[in-house]
Amino acid sequence: PVTETVPSGAVLDVDVTVTTSTARDLVMITSPFVAGFEPERDLGTVYAAPVKDATPTAHAETRDDRAVFFVTRLAPGTHVFRHRVRAVHVGAFTALPASAELMYFPTVTGQSAGEAFEIRRDGAAGAEKGR
């Protein structure tokens, strides 16, 4: 089922939340872009501190299909990584899971759940079909 409906042209902040019970070194967090969305380059795509609640990163990249965050040391607790996208193509799309992994020990990994998105041309987020 669709978990989120947005109007075409909407700009969304995508938060990837990573929770770890122990400190981790050299972590890579990957957030794939949902088909139908493009990175919002005009407003800045990848955020680190001082954005509220965002975790500082050693390096962040915007690639064609994903945002990637690199963290030298991830302390125990919950961390938020944020990037911005724009809804550009009308339709229903599935978001692939975000993932976190240790760069030199890729067997230590975690993934989020996927989501289903719908982008509507009519500009009315959450509107019934045919309106």
Side-chain angles (χ1 to χ4, degrees), residues 2 10 22 25 29 31 35 38 57 60 62-64 71 75 79 92 100-101 115 121:
V2 172
T22 61
D25 292 325
I29 296 92
S31 177
E38 297 289 334
T57 58
T62 300
R63 300 184 182 168
D64 289 340
V71 181
H79 305 272
E101 66 183 53
E115 287 188 72
R121 183 183 323 275

Side-chain angles (χ1 to χ4, degrees), residues 11-12 34 47 51 68 70 80-82 89 94 101 105 108 112 121 127:
V11 176
L12 305 176
V34 179
Y47 296 96
V51 173
V68 184
F70 299 92
V80 177
F81 300 88
R82 183 172 293 155
H89 301 288
T94 300
E101 66 183 53
F105 297 95
V108 179
S112 68
R121 183 183 323 275

Side-chain angles (χ1 to χ4, degrees), residues 30-110:
T30 304
S31 177
F33 298 139
V34 179
F37 290 82
E38 297 289 334
E40 184 54 37
R41 298 181 194 282
D42 295 340
L43 299 174
T45 308
V46 178
Y47 296 96
V51 173
K52 185 181 179 208
D53 300 327
T55 299
T57 58
H59 181 71
E61 297 177 2
T62 300
R63 300 184 182 168
D64 289 340
D65 60 343
R66 64 192 177 272
V68 184
F69 304 89
F70 299 92
V71 181
T72 304
R73 178 116 175 121
L74 198 62
T78 300
H79 305 272
V80 177
F81 300 88
R82 183 172 293 155
H83 62 93
R84 188 169 278 177
V85 295
R86 180 180 296 273
V88 293
H89 301 288
V90 175
F93 306 97
T94 300
L96 295 175
S99 65
E101 66 183 53
L102 300 184
M103 291 178 10
Y104 296 103
F105 297 95
T107 57
V108 179
T109 185

